[in-house]
Amino acid sequence: VVNNRMSNYLMQKLEEQGVPTHYVEECNERDTLVKKVEIVPLEVIIRNKACGSFSKRYGVAEGTELSIPTIEFSYKNDALGDPMINDMQITAIGIATIQELKTITESALKINELMKKFFIERDIILVDFKIEFGKYQNKIILADEVSPDTCRLWDANTKQKLDKDRFRRDLGGVEEAYEEVWKRIISK
């Protein structure tokens, strides 16, 4: 319920800032009406700080501020284990055209800047997040969800994890952390 409400709220905020999304309307606390999109089979990961697999892969201490936001792509394919994929591979195998990939990258960076500002105003650090895009009427738009299940969110003062890492790292208090994020989102 919290993820649905939060994702819908954030999608509306992004729409207000000129980011096209699949959001249409919230039907009830669990259901949302969205535009039917053809999902581009990419997970787009935007990182502002080193954390998780990035820290492990590159030996960068968790929490290290990156000098620029980084974007990683994973090919959405469960049978292959969602492998990382680069721009040239994406276009070579026809996942997206060069122009579509440019649109996705520009949109992801814009979303990152908007969300970083949005969250820091609520004393939350946007460490990194995963988003997906879809094609709707021949345009690339934001799809799927934006929630603590898809974002790494830390309390700006205590660095307490307020996201799915509470579950991944067996820290407990998952629902309480999500509720805290929701409370901060709607309090401004």
Side-chain angles (χ1 to χ4, degrees):
V1 169
V2 171
N3 281 354
N4 185 54
R5 288 251 159 104
M6 195 176 316
S7 187
N8 293 343
Y9 186 87
L10 292 170
M11 291 283 184
Q12 290 174 78
K13 290 294 182 190
L14 290 168
E15 285 267 356
E16 289 170 10
Q17 297 296 315
V19 175
T21 77
H22 74 325
Y23 177 81
V24 176
E25 70 177 319
E26 186 173 298
C27 303
N28 58 53
E29 66 182 14
R30 294 185 181 276
D31 300 308
T32 300
L33 181 63
V34 297
K35 298 169 188 152
K36 185 176 181 179
V37 299
E38 177 189 338
I39 288 288
V40 177
L42 291 174
E43 291 183 349
V44 182
I45 301 114
I46 302 94
R47 300 182 185 276
N48 298 303
K49 291 184 177 288
C51 197
S53 62
F54 186 95
S55 290
K56 291 176 190 164
R57 195 170 36 246
Y58 301 114
V60 180
E62 191 166 281
T64 300
E65 187 78 28
L66 302 175
S67 61
I68 61 169
T70 65
I71 294 183
E72 299 173 358
F73 298 105
S74 291
Y75 179 30
K76 275 184 62 87
N77 185 311
D78 290 339
L80 299 175
D82 299 334
M84 285 185 68
I85 190 167
N86 68 35
D87 301 20
M88 294 178 89
Q89 294 163 330
I90 291 166
T91 56
I93 64 174
I95 293 172
T97 67
I98 291 171
Q99 184 56 49
E100 289 169 340
L101 197 53
K102 181 178 183 221
T103 299
I104 288 169
T105 300
E106 289 171 357
S107 184
L109 290 171
K110 179 179 181 177
I111 291 164
N112 183 52
E113 287 309 309
L114 293 169
M115 287 195 1
K116 274 187 357 184
K117 181 179 185 299
F118 177 86
F119 280 115
I120 203 62
E121 289 171 352
R122 288 148 179 88
D123 291 324
I124 299 172
I125 297 168
L126 178 62
V127 175
D128 61 26
F129 62 104
K130 184 262 319 168
I131 51 179
E132 297 179 23
F133 292 87
K135 294 179 191 175
Y136 178 75
Q137 297 180 344
N138 295 319
K139 292 182 182 171
I140 299 288
I141 64 173
L142 180 62
D144 196 36
E145 72 171 300
V146 181
S147 75
D149 274 359
T150 61
C151 301
R152 266 201 184 91
L153 304 168
W154 293 353
D155 180 277
N157 301 305
T158 67
K159 307 304 184 270
Q160 177 185 9
K161 291 166 178 49
L162 301 171
D163 55 55
K164 196 173 184 176
D165 271 352
R166 300 212 57 83
F167 171 76
R168 286 186 198 117
R169 297 180 183 194
D170 201 25
L171 301 173
V174 177
E175 290 179 17
E176 295 82 1
Y178 285 28
E179 288 286 347
E180 177 64 22
V181 172
W182 178 236
K183 185 175 85 178
R184 292 186 196 187
I185 284 175
I186 60 173
S187 69
K188 285 246 175 198

